[in-house]
Amino acid sequence: MPGNLKVVYLVNSGSEANDMAMMMARLYTGNYDIIALRNAYHGLSAATMGAAGLHTWKHGIAQGFGVHHALNPNPYRGVHGMDGKRYAEDVADLISSSTPGKVAGFIAETIQGAGGAVELAPGYLPAVYEQIRNAGGVCIADEVQTGFGRTGSHYWGFETQGVVPDIVTMAKGIGNGLPIGAVVTTPEIASVLSRCLHFNTFGGNPVCSAGGHAVIKVIDKEKLQENCAIVGGHLLDRLQQLKEKHEIIGDVRGKGLMIGVELVTDRGTKMPAKAETAEALEKMKDLGVLAGKGGLSGNVFRIKPPMCFTKEDADFLVDVMDHSLASL
């Protein structure tokens, strides 16, 4: 980890990690308000559900106290296109209008997972991090889906925007299926948990910890980050070619092996092709490809395969998608 990110708390899941990160931000700063993004997903505990910006993941329970949702810096659908600094102005407006002028922190995924593999507009995080820190807050990077080399170009998603967070959360990729997550932060921020007892029954249990250690070794030994860059680049190229062939594909985006293919009924209006996406997913399933579905309207193929994915696997995926879209 870069900078002074030296203290690790092991937990069981990404939800738990994000829950702890927000609590630590509030304890450390003495402030309460947290800025999150629309279209975000951070978990299903009461606190993390409140930070989510997708109604599909929100149950009708008390949630989201002190959380304010900023404009989503979505290069494809956002009002400011690729201009990250323009989106960041909304965060400054939120701080001045919806908080006491001081905040506890800001939490964001570098590439939104459940929201449909949406990359944040270039230049967004540096501008927002500066605003948050000027308002007394800390910056939280949710690396649950982007971490451990999945983006190919970098080991951590936040590195793609040239920032260093104050708190980093992670899970999923550490355990390769085992329930393990982590919160990584600075010694100064970590010290707030000494104010009272903190305990996690299964956090750091021997089996999951051994599994996580083995997974990290394999990522390095088998050069899986490099594989994500090579295979992901090949897959993105082929999907871009597929976009030229099928009018229903509105956008192809992502980094490494975290890719989104958004389907629309009309490229001009960008009307989500929700029914068509569901039908295509079923056709692909019948042909041997299981793809995820995401986005607020459920119209995005979430392509996030195992990091050992090969070019042959990628070609099979694209051929099956091609056939399925052609038969709609």
Side-chain angles (χ1 to χ4, degrees):
M1 304 297 293
N4 203 31
L5 294 167
K6 297 177 178 178
V7 180
V8 183
Y9 286 96
L10 294 177
V11 294
N12 303 321
S13 68
S15 293
E16 205 172 40
N18 285 327
D19 199 306
M20 174 181 274
M22 290 192 289
M23 178 182 71
M24 293 172 80
R26 285 168 164 157
L27 289 172
Y28 178 72
T29 63
N31 302 323
Y32 188 67
D33 294 80
I34 286 176
I35 308 293
L37 293 177
R38 298 175 191 176
N39 201 56
Y41 176 79
H42 296 291
L44 287 177
S45 67
T48 56
M49 187 187 296
L54 292 159
H55 79 273
T56 45
W57 296 94
K58 286 178 172 286
H59 293 282
I61 62 170
Q63 55 171 282
F65 298 112
V67 177
H68 309 273
H69 289 88
L71 275 178
N72 191 40
N74 183 337
Y76 179 61
R77 290 191 172 273
V79 292
H80 302 309
M82 296 283 286
D83 193 340
K85 292 184 178 179
R86 289 288 303 279
Y87 291 108
E89 291 172 2
D90 184 61
V91 174
D93 186 55
L94 265 182
I95 293 171
S96 63
S97 63
S98 301
T99 78
K102 293 289 184 180
V103 298
F106 169 81
I107 184 169
E109 307 154 272
T110 320
I111 300 177
Q112 294 175 330
V118 176
E119 289 187 76
L120 308 185
Y124 179 74
L125 286 184
V128 168
Y129 275 25
E130 182 179 4
Q131 291 170 0
I132 294 296
R133 286 167 176 157
N134 287 340
V138 298
C139 302
I140 304 167
D142 180 338
E143 293 283 336
V144 171
Q145 296 192 40
T146 50
F148 296 93
R150 177 164 289 279
T151 64
S153 60
H154 297 80
Y155 201 80
W156 302 109
F158 61 78
E159 293 174 309
T160 65
Q161 292 231 353
V163 296
V164 177
D166 303 295
I167 305 175
V168 182
T169 61
M170 57 195 75
K172 297 185 193 297
I174 316 175
N176 195 35
L178 289 170
I180 183 171
V183 180
V184 183
T185 189
T186 65
E188 293 77 18
I189 295 174
S191 68
V192 299
L193 288 188
S194 67
R195 295 176 189 174
C196 67
L197 291 174
H198 172 75
F199 185 67
N200 185 303
T201 302
F202 297 110
N205 77 79
V207 173
C208 292
S209 296
H213 193 212
V215 168
I216 292 171
K217 281 185 175 180
V218 168
I219 290 172
D220 290 341
K221 182 180 179 181
E222 299 186 6
K223 299 180 179 179
L224 294 185
Q225 180 182 339
E226 181 181 341
N227 187 66
C228 285
I230 295 170
V231 177
H234 173 73
L235 181 53
L236 279 166
D237 286 343
R238 287 221 52 198
L239 289 170
Q240 289 289 359
Q241 294 168 10
L242 207 62
K243 179 184 174 184
E244 296 175 9
K245 180 178 179 181
H246 296 283
E247 190 72 19
I248 196 171
I249 298 178
D251 192 36
V252 173
R253 54 183 178 250
K255 289 183 182 296
L257 287 179
M258 188 159 182
I259 296 170
V261 178
E262 183 159 354
L263 302 190
V264 294
T265 58
D266 183 283
R267 286 187 179 178
T269 64
K270 299 180 182 177
M271 181 66 69
K274 185 173 182 177
E276 292 85 347
T277 304
E279 184 179 346
L281 277 170
E282 286 300 310
K283 291 178 182 293
M284 290 171 64
K285 181 196 70 174
D286 292 341
L287 292 170
V289 172
L290 291 174
K293 183 174 69 172
L296 187 63
S297 300
N299 66 313
V300 183
F301 291 122
R302 288 176 61 197
I303 301 172
K304 200 169 71 103
M307 290 169 63
C308 56
F309 213 57
T310 66
K311 284 186 177 180
E312 291 74 20
D313 295 327
D315 287 335
F316 179 68
L317 162 63
V318 176
D319 290 344
V320 167
M321 185 181 292
D322 183 15
H323 177 82
S324 299
L325 294 177
S327 61
L328 287 176

